[in-house]
């Protein structure tokens, strides 16, 4: 995903950072620490981390997200940077990442860059979509496109949802010791009556990239119909998120 609608993101998808607040507890920021928020989006969690009197640096590949973050939190330093390139800023006590690593499709390079950016014994605390994440939504998108005679192209799938084993191996190979790693279901309520439509419009542009506007509308309509029995509960859309959460420590030397 190259560019984001940062305003729409803040209006309709603020649950992303709300859920991330628990991850900040796991990070347990200490006064004076220097902490990188990798894939910081519009900066809400970087701001939460800054409340612990830390020196926070927010980084995101999206210019529009960083512009919005900088406007909201002018006292925090934010940088536009793609995590698949070596980080300009280095030597952090901790790297934190919420709901961002699954957008980075060169995970080996990303994990290596995180490792390089940490001080010895520095910690990498993160949560991302894991194996099986949003499987009902993906199944509905595929089935809807097929039903409408539109090609579903595998290489347009924009996410990386690893298993515990896969990501553990990546971390260990880079030189991390894993303190904890867990894959768990986290059903996630979406905002409003059109929650699933908004979600599809915000996040599925890559999959729908060859469709005309009206084809996209048709696919979304069909997806909504298919997903309603599974994901619409008590007047609320609930997405079938499954998270991979971990704490990993950079080994010395
Ligand atoms: C997630 O946070 O799991 C997610 C968000 C948007 C698209 C795909 C996954």
């Amino acid at each position: 995903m190259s560019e984001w609608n940062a305003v729409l993101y803040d209006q309709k998808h603020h649950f992303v950072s709300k859920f991330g607040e628990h991850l900040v507890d796991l990070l347990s920021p200490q006064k004076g620490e220097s902490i990188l928020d990798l894939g910081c989006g519009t900066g809400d969690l970087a701001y939460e981390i800054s409340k612990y009197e830390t020196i926070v640096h927010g980084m995101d590949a999206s210019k529009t997200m960083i512009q919005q973050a900088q406007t909201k939190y002018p006292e925090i330093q934010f940088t536009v940077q793609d995590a698949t390139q070596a980080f300009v800023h280095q030597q952090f006590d901790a790297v934190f990442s919420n709901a961002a690593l699954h957008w980075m499709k060169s995970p080996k390079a990303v994990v290596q860059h995180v490792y390089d950016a940490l001080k010895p014994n520095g910690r990498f605390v993160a949560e991302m979509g894991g194996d099986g994440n949003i499987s009902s939504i993906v199944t509905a998108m595929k089935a809807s496109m097929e039903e409408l005679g539109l090609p579903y192209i595998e290489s347009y799938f924009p996410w990386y949802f690893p298993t515990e084993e896969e990501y553990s191996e990546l971390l260990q190979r880079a030189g991390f010791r894993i303190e904890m790693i867990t894959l768990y279901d986290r059903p996630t309520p979406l905002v409003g009556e059109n929650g699933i439509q908004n979600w599809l419009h915000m996040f599925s542009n890559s999959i729908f990239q060859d469709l005309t506007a009206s084809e996209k509308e048709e696919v979304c309509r069909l997806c909504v119909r298919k997903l309603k029995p599974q994901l619409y509960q008590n007047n609320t859309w609930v997405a079938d998120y499954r998270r991979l959460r971990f704490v990993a420590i950079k080994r010395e030397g």
Side-chain angles (χ1 to χ4, degrees), residues 36 38 59 81-90 110 113-114 117:
L36 174 68
L38 174 60
M59 189 176 123
Q81 158 137 30
D82 176 349
T84 60
Q85 311 294 320
F87 301 172
V88 175
H89 299 86
Q90 302 276 335
V110 172
H113 295 147
V114 170

Side-chain angles (χ1 to χ4, degrees), residues 99 102-103 128-129 133-134 159 161 199 203 241-243:
H102 52 252
W103 291 102
M128 65 192 292
N133 193 36
I134 55 163
W159 307 299
F161 298 140
W199 192 99
F203 296 122
Y241 278 21
R242 184 177 290 167
R243 317 316 279 169

Side-chain angles (χ1 to χ4, degrees), residues 191-236:
V191 179
E193 193 57 29
N194 295 322
I196 196 73
Q197 284 99 319
N198 291 335
W199 192 99
L200 290 165
H201 281 287
M202 181 87 203
F203 296 122
S204 300
N205 287 332
S206 172
I207 292 174
F208 298 151
Q209 64 187 274
D210 292 340
L211 308 189
T212 63
S214 67
E215 285 170 340
K216 187 171 157 181
E217 277 312 313
E218 269 303 286
V219 173
C220 288
R221 242 195 308 274
L222 198 48
C223 275
V224 171
R225 211 174 321 139
K226 286 183 188 299
L227 288 169
K228 199 154 191 178
Q230 290 160 272
L231 301 186
Y232 193 67
Q233 302 151 12
N234 304 320
N235 299 321
T236 304

